[in-house]
Amino acid sequence: MKLAKVIGNVVATVKTESHQNTKMMVVEPVDHSGKSIGGSFLAVDGAQAGIGDTVLIIEEGGSARAIMGNPEGAVDAIIAGVVDRLEE
């Protein structure tokens, strides 16, 4: 799993069948202090996240498809949870 910050929404009028009724978000990997550590990418929202939220990302297709409930879905990354706080 990775930490990331949600930085945007994706709006698409045409989607593959496996992405119908899903929310796509733009996320940016961050470290434990919230500093960006990588380039942004798309993730399916499986946790009702919003812009500005720090989230947990799973970048493994099988796990992402299991969370989506679609074993045939075309997905590489999914938001698996919203982080309330980080403790050291």
Side-chain angles (χ1 to χ4, degrees):
M1 276 199 237
K2 291 182 179 180
L3 282 176
K5 182 168 281 284
V6 178
I7 60 172
N9 292 315
V10 175
V11 178
T13 55
V14 178
K15 299 180 186 180
T16 65
E17 186 175 325
S18 65
H19 285 83
Q20 296 298 320
N21 302 314
T22 63
K23 185 168 75 169
M24 300 290 295
M25 309 295 283
V26 180
V27 296
E28 182 175 50
V30 296
D31 65 13
H32 67 282
S33 66
K35 181 182 175 194
S36 174
I37 58 171
S40 62
F41 58 93
L42 299 180
V44 172
D45 183 13
Q48 299 181 350
I51 294 175
D53 285 342
T54 300
V55 295
L56 293 172
I57 299 289
I58 296 176
E59 283 189 292
E60 193 279 314
S63 296
R65 288 187 293 275
I67 291 170
M68 282 180 66
N70 184 349
E72 302 299 320
V75 61
D76 291 329
I78 193 162
I79 298 171
V82 176
V83 175
D84 292 324
R85 68 176 179 272
L86 295 171
E87 297 179 358
E88 291 190 34

